[in-house]
Amino acid sequence: MKIISRYLSRSAIFMLFMVGLMAPAGSAPLEQLKITGFVSAADWEAYRTRFIDDSGRVIDNANGNISHSEGQGYGLLLAFAASDRLTFEKIWTFTYTEFLIRDDGLAVWKWDPSATPHVTDRNNATDGDILIAYALAKAGVGWQDQRYTQAAQKLAKAIGKAAIVKNSGFPFLLPGVKGFTQTDRPDGPVVNLSYWIFEAFPVLATLAPEYDWSAVWREGIVLLQQATASRTHLPADWMSIRNRTQPRTAEGFDPEFGYNSLRIPLYLLRAGMADMEWLKTLKQRWITDQEGVAVVNVVTGEIRERLTDQGYMALPAALACALDGTKVPESLKVFEPQFYYPASLYLLSLSLIGEKYPQCL
Amino acid sequence: MPLTRGMMAFLIVGLGFAALAQQSGSPPSPKSDQTGPSPSPPPSPAPARPQVDESALRYFASQGDTRRVDAEIARLRALYPDWTPPADLSQLVGGGAGGPVSDPEADRLWGLYTENRFSEARAAIAARQSADPQWKPPPDLVAALDVSEARRRLVNASDNNQWRTVLSIATETPALLTCANVDSLWRVAEAFAKTNQTNRARDVYTYLLTNCANPAERLGTLQKALTLLDGQQVTDLLRFERKGGDNPDDFSAIRDELARRRVEKASTDAKLTVSADDLAVVERLAEGETEPGNALLLGYYNYHRKNPEKALTWFKTALDRNGGPKAAEGYALALRELNRFVDAEAFAYEWRDKAPENMQVYLDVATALLSQDPPLKLSPNVVARIIPAVTKARFVNGAQALGWYSYNTDQFRTAREWFEVALSWKADDEPSAYGIALASQRLNDRSRFNAITAQWRSRSQRIADLADGISRDRGTPVTTQPIPQPNPVPAAPARPALTATEPPAVPESSPERSRRVEEFRVAAYDRAVLTQERQLQGSRRVVRSGGSARRACTATRDPSGLAPNAALTLGWCLMELNRPMEAVAAFDQAMRLGSPTVREEAAYGKSLAYLRKDLTGEAAVAAAQAPQTATRRTELSAAILAQRALAAYRDGRWVDVILALGERARIVPEQNDLMLLRGWSYFKLGRLNDAEKIFTAVHRTGFSEEASVGLNAIREITGQLHQY
């Protein structure tokens, strides 16, 4: 698979994706992650006890202890990865009762324990919706629970209906239903490429086949390539795609490759796209040039902040492992979670390595 | 213990969710196959009920949790209509007679549920199921969790205005829609209302009032309804008030609020009427409280009902209760309505900066103060403080009022400046241009006069007439625009730099001559008034049906019960007695019910009556209320125009005299007495050539003495030596 995929062009990836969708039992070039079983009990215990309370709320402890749909989605996915059905059920119950209340079937994105009512922004965040739907779909199959599958399907259809829209005829993901379209803002549509959780699309496509998830996948890759054609080869977190062939930093946002975008390589690797040329470029930057994971101005290349938490360090480790078979450094082998976000990235990175590149461990 | 209180049937039926009702009874019940509502015998005691899982009820009873016991009974009733709660719940405690054997694991799960730890209850079920695939959770616990989670989602969705989610939860979870969950019912009703289904919202409230017993919740239901339904729908709900019993309702606060709302609506819409009862309610509320709200309401109600004395009193009460700018606004409006313009201005001035509305009222009141006819004697500092407010707000009407005020106090230069200012603020404002033209004429400023009239003559007939010197008698209707107001009053400083009183523009001559000229000018007016009255009398005599009615109307009587012909007779009779306003009422009655002929006659009489009162506008309206013959139309029009000319003459509005007479001359020949008025008007306007032509004409046909006085006055001014 690696030999084939190294030479794949974008369109070939798409074709393989389609083959993967239509003939899952065949050559399966972009094999789905199993996920479950690749987060150790000890690592999960460390994560769960720090970031998930008894009600099933995933707590962003670097962010005023709020919760959000992304966190609930990561929590569900990682609970499934840790085969912790009990915690999965808790998180799901909380997500269902507190987040999945929108008229359009999507999740509200922001929940604040100190606010009344707790929902402080009832817009959705499409990556959160995708993560929740994806985790539910995996768990529904993995644990043979129709409730999860049905909820996943409902949510997948809601995402397809409300968050997939077209720009110049090409379907893409709205980051949120409100505030990002062409009519909502002068530079709209605005996208966030880290909301493309590629690995979820084939799964959601089986649940809501009436939406063109493969075209969304394709558009994500196109936009990423356009956005990384610049001097720094880095996409900004929030980009205007009013001119879809020339994405540019959206009005009101810093031209930064930041906390959002640094997940993109992880999502590409998890979706089996280790052959993307851009990953090599990024590896050059992160590892060969020893820049490490950093918040970078995409115009000037200036570094605003270096990110040294173990969770961020896991991203280049996964990249080096996937591209070169580099061993995971000792410093990453013991999970020492401090903050929700990098801890989530750590478990996603290490579980990927555990499942697909165990030789790096 | 309220265990035995009446339990509810499914709301679903009451709501008309009919199609969804079928989903409700998912837990299997042996009796659910029954068709129709055939009453079943009362269930026999304890041992006969194994099919209904009472484990939750048992658990809650053992915990002494009466609220949940109630809720569980309601839920079971909803699911199993034939079920009745155990006669003695205490039997259930500790797995008593007939109940299933206690299961510690189930009790633990119920415990989590009781503490609202739904996630943990779910998690425990999931964990045990994955450990023991054979194990099944108590179905009632699952059902209870479903309902509780649904309730939580419903609250969250409703808190976030996700009304469609609220409604879909309600349809998916009928067990939630019982009197044990009144809050959920209220939220469902709100969701209906917020999605334009107020009838459905009303159905929910109706269900609640029909079935649920708690008086506080029942009153709360009405209060919710007040916020979402219209007044009539809420009024309809009042019939569910329970008068007797242990817990009678008291919905009087709702009735009061409905009355208050009707008065509130009527307080801003004079066309609405409210009952005396409603008014009495609001007055009672207003008198019994220290808040300004209802007093303010009553203030505006009375203000818009042309009852400014009462309005003023209520606004005063509101002010005393810290009613703030809104009360002050009303107070100033009421003062103005009472024609207490000086007070109104002084009061409004104090409040002008409190809110934009207060500034607007101040500007309006000040404008009215300046525009009084005859002009009021104003202290200079009042005028001085109006100026900055008008200027800052660029208030066109105010600038114009200052213009007319200056004009009428013979400060033509200042007047023109104000008109220029007004025009600069509103470039298409004809009255400002008209004011400029008039003031320029008085200032003998030909160049500005020519410029402004040239610019405006195509857009304004009266400006064109001014430019044409009016003598052509174009006869076009006089547009009803602000008119110059006369009488000597203290100077109005237009701007700080312009406070000096100007010299009069018309050349002075000897006091003796002036006095004599003035006497003749006034005498011309008196003569014309007499003639006019004679003519009106004549008109009356022509149409009056007979003289015998005179005695019939000496006593005041209400015409509203009279037949049309009797009312008409009464009208003419009252005209005879020179009681025109009573005559108007009589003519109105005749017009309401009469035949076309009577209507014509009555409209004619009414028009004449108004003319008697010098109400030419009303006279014109009355004349138009029924078709008149051409002769009468001409007669009435001529009379109306003559009255207008007389009024203008009396007020010194010379241009309007000329315009009205010009229009009149187009339809009937002009009499000498009116020609004299025209001559004196030209004279006063300084249009001596025109005046001379008129006086000359009159001199030849009669009234030679009066005409001679006019001609001599002209001669004295122009220095001509003609002898007449």
Side-chain angles (χ1 to χ4, degrees), chain A residues 62-355:
Chain A
N63 218 340
N65 287 337
I66 65 160
S67 294
H68 33 62
S69 56
E70 171 210 86
Q72 299 300 117
Y74 281 152
L76 288 169
L77 199 59
L78 293 171
F80 177 66
S83 307
D84 180 357
R85 189 164 180 191
L86 190 146
T87 303
F88 186 96
E89 182 72 22
K90 276 187 194 172
I91 301 172
W92 165 237
T93 301
F94 191 87
T95 306
Y96 178 62
T97 53
E98 300 294 324
F99 282 82
L100 281 171
I101 58 170
R102 281 171 55 98
D103 280 349
D104 61 7
L106 298 175
V108 296
W109 84 266
K110 193 174 181 185
W111 196 99
D112 186 339
S114 60
T116 309
H118 292 307
V119 175
T120 50
D121 188 342
R122 61 181 78 133
N123 203 1
N124 76 308
T126 302
D127 67 331
D129 295 316
I130 292 173
L131 286 166
I132 294 166
Y134 177 50
L136 284 169
K138 297 298 276 188
V141 173
W143 287 326
Q144 296 289 302
D145 192 327
Q146 273 300 302
R147 289 182 306 140
Y148 299 153
T149 306
Q150 282 165 5
Q153 180 161 44
K154 235 172 140 177
L155 188 49
K157 286 177 185 296
I159 296 165
K161 186 169 184 193
I164 298 180
V165 294
K166 284 188 176 175
N167 181 32
S168 313
F170 294 90
F172 70 100
L173 284 181
L174 276 178
V177 168
K178 201 172 144 196
F180 297 95
T181 66
Q182 194 151 4
T183 49
D184 286 339
R185 42 184 296 151
D187 64 340
V190 162
V191 294
N192 184 321
L193 288 180
S194 75
Y195 284 23
W196 265 258
I197 301 156
F198 293 98
E199 65 189 289
F201 295 157
V203 176
L204 301 186
T206 64
L207 294 172
E210 63 272 35
Y211 300 101
D212 197 349
W213 302 90
S214 57
V216 173
W217 168 305
R218 213 156 58 232
E219 184 68 358
I221 299 297
V222 170
L223 292 174
L224 180 62
Q225 296 202 324
Q226 304 285 7
T228 54
S230 64
R231 192 170 63 82
T232 58
H233 302 295
L234 294 173
D237 281 354
W238 295 95
M239 292 190 307
S240 160
I241 55 164
R242 188 157 215 129
N243 179 348
R244 99 177 238 286
T245 59
Q246 282 183 318
R248 46 191 300 171
T249 302
E251 288 298 321
F253 292 93
D254 292 329
E256 278 181 353
F257 174 81
Y259 289 94
N260 279 288
S261 296
L262 52 80
R263 296 179 284 192
I264 297 173
L266 173 63
Y267 287 156
L268 292 172
L269 293 177
R270 288 181 60 96
M273 289 187 283
D275 59 295
M276 279 235 353
E277 276 300 312
W278 177 65
L279 290 177
K280 287 185 200 158
T281 313
L282 192 64
K283 192 193 73 175
Q284 171 78 28
R285 200 174 179 107
W286 276 359
I287 297 161
T288 317
D289 299 346
Q290 299 191 314
E291 184 174 290
V293 179
V295 176
V296 182
N297 184 308
V298 298
V299 179
T300 63
E302 188 189 342
I303 293 171
R304 191 169 69 76
E305 186 184 2
R306 286 181 199 276
L307 306 178
T308 53
D309 188 288
Q310 197 188 29
Y312 300 119
M313 305 293 270
L315 298 169
L319 188 59
C321 159
L323 267 56
D324 301 332
T326 307
K327 294 267 187 195
V328 171
E330 287 302 315
S331 61
L332 290 181
K333 287 200 169 155
V334 178
F335 183 36
E336 291 164 341
Q338 275 190 291
F339 297 110
Y340 142 81
Y341 184 59
S344 304
L345 295 179
Y346 175 94
L347 291 183
L348 289 169
S349 300
L350 271 291
S351 64
L352 169 68
I353 293 170
E355 181 171 349

Side-chain angles (χ1 to χ4, degrees), chain B residues 46-331:
Chain B
R49 303 192 298 270
Q51 73 274 17
V52 175
D53 186 344
E54 293 170 348
S55 56
L57 192 59
R58 179 170 47 79
Y59 184 80
F60 295 139
S62 73
Q63 299 288 307
D65 185 344
T66 57
R67 194 178 66 80
R68 284 192 184 278
V69 167
D70 287 351
E72 180 64 3
I73 288 174
R75 190 183 68 83
L76 292 174
R77 270 290 181 81
L79 290 171
Y80 313 109
D82 297 329
W83 177 83
T84 51
D88 182 3
L89 264 181
S90 62
Q91 285 180 4
L92 292 169
V93 178
V101 176
S102 179
D103 172 357
E105 177 66 8
D107 278 358
R108 193 176 77 82
L109 293 175
W110 280 110
L112 290 170
Y113 168 79
T114 313
E115 292 161 29
N116 289 323
R117 292 157 69 183
F118 308 139
S119 294
E120 289 163 83
R122 289 279 190 199
I125 292 171
R128 181 154 169 191
Q129 271 184 313
S130 52
D132 174 8
Q134 302 308 309
W135 182 80
K136 291 269 180 274
D140 284 13
L141 175 63
V142 174
L145 280 171
D146 284 346
V147 171
S148 297
E149 286 172 2
R151 185 188 303 112
R152 191 172 279 183
R153 286 188 75 222
L154 185 141
V155 168
N156 287 330
S158 135
D159 281 347
N160 285 285
N161 302 341
Q162 302 296 301
W163 309 118
R164 280 189 287 140
T165 301
V166 171
L167 294 177
S168 72
I169 293 169
T171 50
E172 285 161 12
T173 325
L176 190 56
L177 308 179
T178 68
C179 293
N181 298 299
V182 167
D183 176 69
S184 295
L185 289 170
W186 286 342
R187 290 170 185 270
V188 170
E190 184 181 12
F192 276 133
K194 292 289 170 63
T195 51
N196 298 319
Q197 304 174 77
T198 45
N199 284 345
R200 289 235 165 150
R202 182 204 53 207
D203 291 345
V204 176
Y205 295 134
T206 303
Y207 168 83
L208 235 149
L209 292 170
T210 311
N211 295 294
C212 305
N214 182 319
E217 289 174 346
R218 294 169 61 77
L219 181 59
T221 299
L222 264 303
Q223 278 156 350
K224 296 276 179 190
L226 269 176
T227 65
L228 295 167
L229 301 186
D230 66 37
Q232 188 52 52
Q233 284 175 314
V234 180
T235 304
D236 291 346
L237 291 176
L238 288 172
R239 71 192 149 94
F240 295 106
E241 184 169 26
R242 290 179 179 171
K243 297 277 165 52
D246 293 339
N247 290 313
D249 289 326
D250 179 5
F251 291 167
S252 54
I254 306 297
R255 288 194 178 78
D256 287 355
E257 174 61 13
L258 287 168
R260 200 195 63 78
R261 287 187 181 188
R262 286 189 287 267
V263 174
E264 183 176 41
K265 226 171 162 186
S267 74
T268 55
D269 183 350
K271 289 195 288 294
L272 294 176
T273 52
V274 294
S275 69
D277 287 350
D278 283 355
L279 265 187
V281 166
V282 181
E283 283 170 6
R284 168 170 58 75
L285 293 174
E287 278 154 12
E289 68 191 2
T290 53
E291 296 296 304
N294 287 316
L296 196 55
L297 205 67
L298 290 165
Y300 277 103
Y301 178 85
N302 283 296
Y303 172 74
H304 287 297
R305 298 291 176 298
K306 301 288 173 218
N307 201 343
E309 292 92 352
K310 265 196 176 173
L312 194 72
T313 309
W314 281 116
F315 285 131
K316 179 73 170 55
T317 304
L319 271 174
D320 293 345
R321 293 175 182 173
N322 296 319
K326 193 74 193 155
E329 186 187 345
Y331 193 76

